[in-house]
Amino acid sequence: VLKAVSKVISDSMAIDRGVWTVTLNSVPVASGVYLTQWHNLNGKWWIENEMSKSDKTNSPEVAVTDLSSKTSH
């Protein structure tokens, strides 16, 4: 879920800043902040640059199995 905190629009450029949250079964598992730079080209808004940063992760660790040593017959 994205929630804008501020928006600045000037001519053909806009900046959108806010917070994001990822939920799993209604439980927040990750959150952070984002910044998006938009550019208006021929009447349409396009994303020119986008950045985000994770603040918190509550997701369980994922087990990783190394299959590189196994061979198929």
Side-chain angles (χ1 to χ4, degrees), residues 6-10 13-18 34-39 45 49:
S6 69
K7 294 180 182 180
V8 177
I9 302 172
S10 175
M13 186 173 60
I15 303 292
D16 176 20
R17 183 176 61 90
Y34 72 90
L35 179 73
T36 306
Q37 177 185 354
W38 297 81
H39 183 252
W45 287 97
N49 292 297

Side-chain angles (χ1 to χ4, degrees), residues 14-53:
I15 303 292
D16 176 20
R17 183 176 61 90
V19 295
W20 58 267
T21 306
V22 176
T23 59
L24 180 62
N25 298 323
S26 301
V27 176
V29 293
S31 63
V33 294
Y34 72 90
L35 179 73
T36 306
Q37 177 185 354
W38 297 81
H39 183 252
N40 190 321
L41 182 62
N42 299 323
K44 293 185 179 182
W45 287 97
W46 300 88
I47 294 175
E48 190 166 320
N49 292 297
E50 188 172 44
M51 299 184 319
S52 67
K53 177 186 173 296

